[in-house]
Amino acid sequence: MRQRSLIAITAALAAGALTLTACGSRDDDGGSDSGSGNKTVVIGVDAPLTGDLSALGLGIKNSVDLAAKTANKEKTVEGITFKVEALDDQAQPSSGQQNAVKFVADKDVVGVVGPLNSSVAESMQKVFDDAKLVEISPANTGPTLTQGTDWQTKKVRTYKSYFRTATTDAIQGPFAAQYVYNDAKKKKVYVIDDKKTYGAGLAATFTSEFKKIGGKVVGTQHIDPDTKDFSAVVTQVKSSGADVVYYGGEYPQAGPLSKQIKAAGVKIPLVGGDGIYSADFIKLAGAGGKGDLATSVGAPVEELPSAKEFVANYKAAGYKEAFEAYGGYSYDSGWAIIEAVKKVVEDNDGKLPDDARAKITEAVQNVSFDGVTGKVSFDEYGDTTNKQLTVYSVEGGTWKAIKSGTYTG
């Protein structure tokens, strides 16, 4: 998911007024070494831990925590103990940038998982890249993050420290359009977005493909993500003759929007991307949300043989929150950092080198392992090589997977 313009980093930010929220406690000496000779290193997590999107953010944090605990238990990297520390970006680019500065300033941080939102990622990328600190997002889908602003005509990788385990909206939007037109047999769409980079970008790639394959766009509108009253756009949808609504945005707005459309007597499905694929969407949409659709990255984690151990271990760990849409991708993002640390340590006679951050970033580029979500590896842009997507439908008060595949343009 998501993006936005860079915000200047001030000396005050560098001083770091934020407090790290640890999944475990730090050693008194800053966590560098323990009495047993082990070195403690930190995997940072940046995500919305409070606010409307916290369900997704907490699932990300918990899943990375599980990866670290698993690595420690199995002694995956001899002589290294992993600790997770999470910062709350509240889905705001300015907060994300402050968090990036804080992570860079902590000498024990060897990599960061996150963020959830592409708009937040854009504010963090240069901070991490300047410090050669690797960042792996389990959720960002905005194509420009890895392939540049002109990605449709000329792909250029700007930040070599940025990677993601989620596929992009360059694939997700068209995949949804093909399903809506060819499988759901919907020919007239009303397209709505929240004006944010994720939502607007996703809506644009959906719209382009839908028109290309013969569909008709009968109306477009932007909504204010800070409001919950969508009566004006609902009226427009009702008079448009649309047989489906496509929404580019996130579940805090998509749920109420769906509910209000149905309440107005417009019994057509709302379709969205991974930003609405959450149990909270179903709660917000109410009973009328039955039949609404969402696409999300990868195959359903619960149905992957490779994910059975993750699902069981997550449950056994007793986390209060569900792992949500990005749990498996968060675990794999954390594990990619762990694998990179392992490679760097092994190449340096069992110790982290002085230029560990740069070496770890280089190692992430070449990681390849069988993860929770399938094969984990990255292409020349830092994008995942796993291009699979799934369509989900709201049925019986839950999301049910109805089709998995890849986009064929």
Side-chain angles (χ1 to χ4, degrees):
M1 290 183 331
R2 337 325 171 208
Q3 275 154 346
R4 203 175 293 167
S5 60
L6 276 173
I7 301 163
I9 306 171
T10 65
L13 296 183
L18 299 177
T19 302
L20 289 171
T21 303
C23 292
S25 59
R26 297 294 297 275
D27 297 329
D28 291 339
D29 63 358
S32 296
D33 295 285
S34 65
S36 63
N38 272 12
K39 181 174 180 63
T40 298
V41 300
V42 174
I43 297 176
V45 174
D46 178 87
L49 305 179
T50 58
D52 287 345
L53 295 172
S54 60
L56 298 177
L58 291 167
I60 291 172
K61 183 195 77 168
N62 294 343
S63 299
V64 179
D65 183 58
L66 180 61
K69 287 177 176 175
T70 301
N72 292 339
K73 181 180 178 181
E74 297 178 354
K75 300 188 186 307
T76 302
V77 186
E78 197 66 39
I80 296 291
T81 298
F82 293 95
K83 185 167 291 186
V84 170
E85 293 182 357
L87 289 176
D88 182 9
D89 63 31
Q90 299 177 309
Q92 297 297 321
S94 57
S95 296
Q97 191 178 67
Q98 293 175 34
N99 293 349
V101 171
K102 187 69 174 177
F103 283 132
V104 166
D106 185 342
K107 61 183 175 61
D108 294 316
V109 176
V110 295
V112 177
V113 175
L116 171 71
N117 305 81
S118 293
S119 55
V120 176
E122 190 177 55
S123 75
M124 305 173 85
Q125 283 182 303
K126 188 176 188 304
V127 180
F128 287 135
D129 206 62
D130 287 348
K132 296 181 171 60
L133 180 61
V134 72
E135 169 190 18
I136 307 179
S137 173
N140 297 159
T141 55
T144 60
L145 292 168
T146 48
Q147 300 172 18
T149 54
D150 299 322
W151 62 272
Q152 290 171 303
T153 55
K154 184 181 179 182
K155 297 178 181 179
V156 177
R157 185 176 185 180
T158 308
Y159 301 108
K160 292 185 177 181
S161 66
Y162 177 86
F163 299 83
R164 55 177 150 202
T165 54
T167 195
T168 77
D169 294 333
I171 298 171
Q172 182 174 204
F175 179 76
Q178 289 193 352
Y179 180 84
V180 169
Y181 186 84
N182 295 323
D183 296 80
K185 307 298 183 185
K186 303 297 184 182
K187 311 301 182 185
K188 296 184 291 182
V189 65
Y190 196 102
V191 180
I192 304 168
D193 69 66
D194 62 2
K195 297 186 286 189
K196 296 196 287 186
T197 304
Y198 163 70
L202 183 59
T205 59
F206 171 90
T207 298
S208 177
E209 181 72 11
F210 193 75
K211 289 164 69 175
K212 187 174 81 172
I213 59 181
K216 183 178 181 181
V217 177
V218 296
T220 61
Q221 192 54 267
H222 308 292
I223 58 104
D224 179 354
D226 293 326
T227 187
K228 292 293 190 289
D229 179 5
F230 304 114
S231 55
V233 71
V234 167
T235 299
Q236 293 173 26
V237 170
K238 188 172 184 177
S239 63
S240 71
D243 55 14
V244 63
V245 168
Y246 189 82
Y247 178 69
E250 297 152 340
Y251 67 81
Q253 295 76 36
L257 176 61
S258 173
K259 187 173 186 177
Q260 291 173 41
I261 289 172
K262 310 306 194 291
V266 187
K267 306 301 183 183
I268 60 176
L270 180 141
V271 184
D274 56 314
I276 79 167
Y277 178 55
S278 169
D280 282 17
F281 168 85
I282 298 174
K283 295 175 187 174
L284 293 168
K290 181 181 179 182
D292 284 348
L293 302 168
T295 53
S296 193
V297 295
V301 168
E302 297 86 347
E303 297 177 13
L304 289 170
S306 57
K308 288 182 179 178
E309 186 176 3
F310 164 74
V311 174
N313 289 345
Y314 191 96
K315 183 177 181 180
Y319 297 111
K320 292 186 295 182
E321 305 87 8
F323 53 77
E324 284 282 351
Y326 305 107
Y329 300 92
S330 302
Y331 187 99
D332 285 346
S333 295
W335 202 263
I337 294 171
I338 291 165
E339 287 287 338
V341 171
K342 181 180 180 180
K343 169 68 172 167
V344 169
V345 167
E346 288 177 348
D347 288 350
N348 193 53
D349 299 323
K351 296 181 180 179
L352 279 173
D354 291 339
D355 61 343
R357 285 179 172 177
K359 288 286 200 303
I360 290 166
T361 296
E362 291 173 11
V364 167
Q365 182 65 61
N366 298 311
V367 297
S368 180
F369 61 93
D370 294 321
V372 172
T373 59
K375 190 74 173 180
V376 178
S377 60
F378 304 99
D379 66 16
E380 67 268 36
Y381 301 103
D383 284 326
T384 178
T385 56
N386 182 356
K387 308 298 185 185
Q388 192 168 33
L389 289 152
T390 299
V391 180
Y392 297 86
S393 175
V394 177
E395 297 181 18
T398 189
W399 287 109
K400 181 182 178 182
I402 55 176
K403 184 174 184 178
S404 290
T406 55
Y407 166 62
T408 52

